[in-house]
Every structure is written in structure tokens, then in C-alpha cells.
Amino acid sequence: LPISDLGRVNLVSGSEVAIDFTGDGLISFVVSEGTLVNGDGEDSAVANTGSIEGATVYLSANAARDVFKNAVNNSGLIEATGAYEENGVIVLEGGAGTTMNSGTLDASSASGAGGSISMLGDYVGVTDGAVISADGATGGGTILIGGNWQGQGPEQNASRTYVGDAAISADATVNGDGGMVVVWSDESTRFNGSITARGGADSGDGGNVEVSGGALKFTGHVDTSADNGQLGSLLLDPTNIVINSPGDTADLAGTLNDDTDANTFAFDEGETGTTTATIAASVLDG
């Protein structure tokens, strides 16, 4: 169980690592180039299968897409619940490679606002059963999967993003507004999970959620409700979108193919799919 008394944990991989002592008691790492663990191409440049706890947790690797199976891979538990009155921060950053989460990322707060969680890389995937939480007593946090709102901001945009049957939440649990959750890719996004960004039980408005990509398959569920406030928002912004009659299913052919293993999937390089998202009205109802 890696625990940082100083509040910051870094797992990095690279041929050159620079350590910068900034005077604040924390350690910063800069990685210039990913390195190969062994020659089979099946390893992750940076992987966590256990438990990591710290106020700020970075898993970072700048590895080419085909060098590793996954540049950054979390299948364990990462907790960043804050320290020194600061919100927790979790960053999984795969650079030109693939960033995967099949475990738990938790930047929630029982007393303050939820923290921030970012999953960035060329390909970004969240598998079935994964949990990503930035809930907070006084407000929901921020969760960025594949990029920031409408692909803007300093964060790297993913080419392709996949979210399986995973639970993602940025709720205000007592007072305050729900947080912001973004699932983004420049080329194609497939979303089958659940997102909540609810307002506080006592007061607060619902949060803001975006699930977008050049091409989009949306078969999941989003809840931005507020028991004692205003309803939040859901933005779906593919290149083209068609809302069909109840019972029809969303369609995005060829861009992302499910693997035989329920907890893995393949990003298909061979087909580009369609840029028109067809979404059932029943999926968006309620």
C-alpha cells in the first residue's frame, strides 16, 4: 500500500526523468520518453494493481501507441481524498499510448468539495465494473475522460474513447452543485456506462455532463437531477445526431470493437465507422 505522507504519489516511466524539488515539500517528475519493460509488447509502461493513497496521484507515461499494450493501466484502487484543505487530484496520462482503468479512482471528500480526476491519452478506456468518483459534501468535482469540455482546454484530446458498464459520479452529497463530467474524443466515443452529477440533498443544482465525439454511440445513463435545486445539463455533440423512436438502439459501426473478454476491448484501426449518432429517444427519457 503506497502511502504518501507528503500528499503526492507519482508513478512514471521514461528514459529520462527529471526530479524538481520546488520547495513546497513535494516532488515533481518530468518524463521525456517511454521505455519498454520487456520485448513482448504486452506490458504497461506504468501499472497499478494494488492500492495507492495520496492527496495527489499521477500515473504518467509518454509511450508510443504500439510499444505497450497500455501505456498507463490501473486495475487497483487509487484514492486522493485531499490534504491541507486541498481537493484530491488523480491523473492517468498515457501520452501517445492507451490509458486504461478497470479499477477504482476515488477523489471524493466527506467534508469538502470533490476533487479532480483526469484520464488522458491517445486512446482512453474505462472497462466494465470500473468506478470513478469525485463526490463531495459541499459540491461535486471534475472528471475528464479523453479531454475537457467540447475538446477545449490544455488537456490532451483522445482520438478514441470507450466507457463500458462503469459507474462515474461527481455528486454533491449534502450541499452544493453537482460537478462536471466530460467523456470526449476527436474521432469516436462509445459510452455504455452511468454518470451522475447530482445536486446536494439539502441544496444545490445539478451539474454538467458532456459525452461527445466525432462519431458517438450512447447507450448509457446520465443523472443531473437536484432534489432542492435546478436540473443540470447533458450535452451530446457528435458530428451528426439522429434521435429515433423508442426501442431503436444507438449505432456506431466499426470504430470500436468489443473483445471476447468482457473487461477488455479493441480499438479498431481498420474502419472509421459513421459520423452520425443514432440514439433511441427511450435512452434519453428520464
Side-chain angles (χ1 to χ4, degrees), residues 54 58 65 116 174 197 258 271:
Y58 284 89
R65 182 188 303 162
S116 66
V174 182
D258 293 330
E271 301 181 47

Side-chain angles (χ1 to χ4, degrees), residues 264-286:
T264 63
F265 55 90
F267 295 95
D268 190 348
E269 295 282 4
E271 301 181 47
T272 58
T274 176
T275 57
T276 298
T278 302
I279 299 176
S282 58
V283 171
L284 303 178
D285 184 17

Side-chain angles (χ1 to χ4, degrees), residues 121 220 240 273:
N240 300 295

Side-chain angles (χ1 to χ4, degrees), residues 25-223:
L26 304 180
I27 300 174
S28 297
F29 291 86
V30 177
V31 181
S32 62
E33 182 180 358
T35 56
L36 187 63
V37 176
N38 63 41
D40 63 11
E42 292 299 315
D43 291 289
S44 301
V46 175
N48 173 53
T49 60
S51 297
I52 299 175
E53 180 181 343
T56 302
V57 180
Y58 284 89
L59 273 63
S60 177
N62 187 11
R65 182 188 303 162
D66 298 328
V67 173
F68 299 96
K69 182 177 181 179
N70 302 305
V72 174
N73 184 16
N74 175 62
S75 58
L77 169 65
I78 299 177
E79 293 182 296
T81 54
Y84 312 116
E85 299 182 353
E86 294 181 2
N87 297 332
V89 176
I90 298 174
V91 178
L92 275 59
E93 193 168 44
T98 299
T99 299
M100 294 281 295
N101 177 49
S102 58
T104 297
L105 305 177
D106 184 7
S108 58
S109 174
S111 58
S116 66
I117 300 173
S118 299
M119 288 187 60
L120 307 172
D122 188 32
Y123 289 173
V124 175
V126 181
T127 65
D128 293 354
V131 176
I132 302 176
S133 176
D135 300 337
T138 60
T142 299
I143 299 174
L144 305 179
I145 301 174
N148 208 324
W149 192 265
Q150 295 188 309
Q152 305 299 311
E155 292 81 7
Q156 176 186 357
N157 289 344
S159 296
R160 301 181 183 183
T161 296
Y162 174 93
V163 177
D165 186 11
I168 302 168
S169 63
D171 297 331
T173 57
V174 182
N175 295 294
D177 299 337
M180 181 177 76
V181 179
V182 177
V183 179
W184 174 273
S185 76
D186 288 341
E187 294 179 6
S188 58
T189 297
R190 174 173 282 178
F191 178 79
N192 304 311
S194 171
I195 296 175
T196 61
R198 296 172 292 210
D202 293 340
S203 65
D205 299 333
N208 298 302
V209 175
E210 177 180 16
V211 181
S212 297
L216 174 65
K217 180 175 182 179
F218 182 94
T219 57
H221 176 74
V222 172
D223 181 359

Side-chain angles (χ1 to χ4, degrees), residues 7-41:
R8 186 172 184 131
V9 177
N10 294 269
L11 271 65
V12 298
S13 173
S15 59
E16 297 179 9
V17 179
I19 302 177
D20 176 24
F21 294 91
T22 61
D24 59 4
L26 304 180
I27 300 174
S28 297
F29 291 86
V30 177
V31 181
S32 62
E33 182 180 358
T35 56
L36 187 63
V37 176
N38 63 41
D40 63 11

